[in-house]
Amino acid sequence: MRLAIVREPIDVERLRREVERDDFGGVTVFVGVVRCRDDDGRSVTGLSYEAFEPMAIAAFEAIAGEARERWSGVALAIEHRIGDLSVGEVAVAVAAAAVHREAAFAACRYAIDQLKQRAPIWKKERYADGSGRWKENACGR
Amino acid sequence: MRLAIVREPIDVERLRREVERDDFGGVTVFVGVVRCRDDDGRSVTGLSYEAFEPMAIAAFEAIAGEARERWSGVALAIEHRIGDLSVGEVAVAVAAAAVHREAAFAACRYAIDQLKQRAPIWKKERYADGSGRWKENACGR
Amino acid sequence: MNVRVLSFARVREVLSSGQMTLDLADGATAADLWSALERGCPPLRELAASTRIARNGRVVDGCEPLRDGDEIALLPPVGGG
Amino acid sequence: MNVRVLSFARVREVLSSGQMTLDLADGATAADLWSALERGCPPLRELAASTRIARNGRVVDGCEPLRDGDEIALLPPVGGG
């Protein structure tokens, strides 16, 4: 199962195909995209991500293991990009596949929620005036 | 917004890009795939889908409108394939995009659930011995 | 009057035809149309309870009056997705 | 003893370095390491409450004893996704 931190654009379609299996009927994919405005309405030109890679991968593995246990047999793939991203670029993709859609949805949602809380990954918002600000997730401590 | 019944393989990546917008941070995609076994454990060689196309499109439009209203501003795209599909092929794809992931997940889930209940689309399971059986969805009446 | 009848899935198979034109008495309802079909194809009877009837793209009940030129669709329980 | 210190995001910027080696007294704990860093870089103080310390890939608390060759990571609140 693909659990990775990458520096190049994420191939979402490839990640979806990672989790395919002949007896799976549903795949849910979540894609997090750099948006042009933050929650305060401030205009954002891009995001810069960094990660502590070995611990981030270990967090992905733990999350995938928990999901497999909780939604028996679900397959999960996670890819997070680091470096400087522009508006519209994919920062993270999670693909979850299962026999039925309930488990695919639940595992995908679980994985992105847990990733945002637990994975040692950080982002700095960049603004048009050249300044920037580190943005924490809710429950990111 | 793309709401379509198609005869050719579904381009999931294209559907995801349909719903992109600069101020959207999350896209959830659900893909329904032909699996090799039904819920009774019977081996399936493929599925044959048919649709009453104008009413199916009208159902997609109604569902998309309901989602937009319920999760303010969410963008939704739906594509369902008809004809003879083999195991592993994508039968349906739903993409939902929103500012935050909560709405993207909820709208995507709503759309596939409603599609399965309301859209005039039918499927016949095909078995190795050449026989077949029409399969109704739960709440498909 | 003439109405066009489209049928799908199991109903289409039982009728051995996905598309036909029926000549009905003026004032016929959706239920009358179904009865006419059952007379010509008795096995249809066991699908009566589960089949919905749409008139010009909208599901109607049996007492809906039909008009010349209507497009009637016979919709068994759905299985999309 | 020597430990390798990796820092990230805001902590890295305040320290002006993502990677350094610190020479600590034998028996030093994670809290001692943080204090040593604060002495060299007082602005770090306001990040103390929110920064977690990982020793060889595992988050520890301040009383965790360190050993020669450890890799210590300073982890501010995360923002992935």
Side-chain angles (χ1 to χ4, degrees):
Chain A
M1 214 46 53
R2 185 162 177 78
L3 303 168
I5 301 283
V6 298
R7 280 159 189 78
E8 301 302 312
I10 292 174
D11 185 338
V12 178
E13 185 64 9
R14 195 185 87 170
L15 203 71
R16 177 175 74 79
R17 291 183 178 279
E18 276 290 321
V19 295
E20 282 181 350
R21 234 176 56 192
D22 261 9
D23 58 338
F24 284 164
V27 187
T28 302
V29 178
F30 175 77
V31 166
V33 181
V34 179
R35 57 197 170 105
C36 64
R37 256 194 301 282
D38 68 10
D39 285 332
D40 310 320
R42 192 165 177 183
S43 200
V44 172
T45 58
L47 297 177
S48 298
Y49 284 93
E50 63 185 76
F52 182 26
E53 296 189 42
M55 275 189 79
I57 300 293
F60 294 176
E61 283 167 353
I63 292 165
E66 291 156 16
R68 256 195 312 276
E69 200 156 308
R70 194 154 157 191
W71 296 281
S72 145
V74 77
L76 205 63
I78 304 174
E79 215 167 295
H80 201 301
R81 187 172 165 195
I82 57 173
D84 296 334
L85 278 71
S86 306
V87 171
E89 289 195 289
V90 173
V92 62
V94 176
V99 175
H100 293 294
R101 71 187 184 288
E102 291 75 8
F105 269 100
C108 185
R109 180 64 194 268
Y110 179 78
I112 184 66
D113 286 357
Q114 291 293 314
L115 180 154
K116 288 173 91 88
Q117 281 176 41
R118 294 159 56 178
I121 302 172
W122 300 270
K123 70 165 160 281
K124 190 175 201 170
E125 280 184 357
R126 291 183 273 116
Y127 308 113
D129 64 3
S131 68
R133 189 166 52 163
W134 292 101
K135 294 286 282 212
E136 306 171 9
N137 293 332
C139 307
R141 307 188 165 218
Chain B
M1 214 45 54
R2 183 160 177 81
L3 303 167
I5 301 283
V6 298
R7 278 159 190 77
E8 301 303 312
I10 292 174
D11 184 338
V12 179
E13 186 65 9
R14 195 185 87 169
L15 204 71
R16 179 176 73 78
R17 292 184 178 277
E18 276 289 322
V19 296
E20 282 181 349
R21 233 175 58 189
D22 262 8
D23 57 339
F24 284 164
V27 186
T28 302
V29 176
F30 175 77
V31 167
V33 181
V34 179
R35 58 198 170 103
C36 65
R37 253 192 304 281
D38 69 9
D39 285 330
D40 310 321
R42 191 163 179 186
S43 200
V44 172
T45 58
L47 297 176
S48 299
Y49 284 94
E50 62 183 77
F52 181 26
E53 296 189 42
M55 273 188 80
I57 300 293
F60 294 176
E61 283 167 353
I63 292 165
E66 290 156 17
R68 256 195 311 277
E69 200 157 305
R70 194 153 156 195
W71 296 280
S72 149
V74 75
L76 205 63
I78 304 173
E79 214 166 296
H80 201 301
R81 187 172 165 194
I82 56 174
D84 294 335
L85 277 71
S86 306
V87 171
E89 289 196 290
V90 173
V92 61
V94 176
V99 174
H100 294 294
R101 71 186 182 288
E102 291 76 8
F105 270 99
C108 186
R109 179 67 194 266
Y110 178 78
I112 185 65
D113 286 356
Q114 290 293 315
L115 180 154
K116 287 173 92 87
Q117 281 177 41
R118 293 160 56 180
I121 301 172
W122 299 271
K123 70 163 159 281
K124 190 175 202 169
E125 281 184 357
R126 290 183 274 115
Y127 308 113
D129 64 4
S131 68
R133 190 166 53 161
W134 292 101
K135 295 287 280 209
E136 306 172 6
N137 293 332
C139 307
R141 306 186 166 220
Chain C
M1 65 178 174
N2 288 308
V3 300
R4 192 163 160 248
V5 179
L6 305 176
S7 62
F8 299 92
R10 203 190 302 266
V11 176
R12 173 177 56 70
E13 288 185 344
V14 169
L15 283 172
S16 307
S17 163
Q19 201 167 322
M20 61 183 92
T21 301
L22 273 194
D23 188 2
L24 298 172
D26 283 354
T29 63
D32 296 332
L33 176 142
W34 183 266
S35 300
L37 289 169
E38 272 191 8
R39 274 193 301 276
C41 174
L44 205 57
R45 184 156 305 149
E46 60 183 85
L47 303 181
S50 65
T51 301
R52 291 175 310 149
I53 299 178
R55 174 176 172 251
N56 301 326
R58 199 173 52 81
V59 172
V60 296
D61 56 30
C63 58
E64 177 89 357
L66 307 184
R67 293 174 66 167
D68 187 57
D70 277 354
E71 181 191 73
I72 305 301
L74 307 177
L75 311 173
V78 301
Chain D
M1 66 177 173
N2 287 309
V3 301
R4 190 161 160 253
V5 179
L6 306 175
S7 61
F8 298 92
R10 205 191 301 267
V11 175
R12 174 178 54 71
E13 287 185 345
V14 168
L15 283 171
S16 307
S17 164
Q19 200 166 323
M20 61 184 93
T21 300
L22 274 193
D23 186 3
L24 298 172
D26 282 353
T29 62
D32 295 332
L33 176 142
W34 183 266
S35 299
L37 288 169
E38 272 191 6
R39 275 194 299 278
C41 174
L44 205 57
R45 184 155 307 150
E46 62 182 84
L47 302 181
S50 65
T51 301
R52 290 175 309 150
I53 299 180
R55 173 176 172 248
N56 302 327
R58 201 173 50 81
V59 172
V60 296
D61 57 28
C63 57
E64 176 88 358
L66 307 185
R67 294 177 65 166
D68 188 56
D70 278 352
E71 180 191 74
I72 305 301
L74 307 177
L75 312 173
V78 301

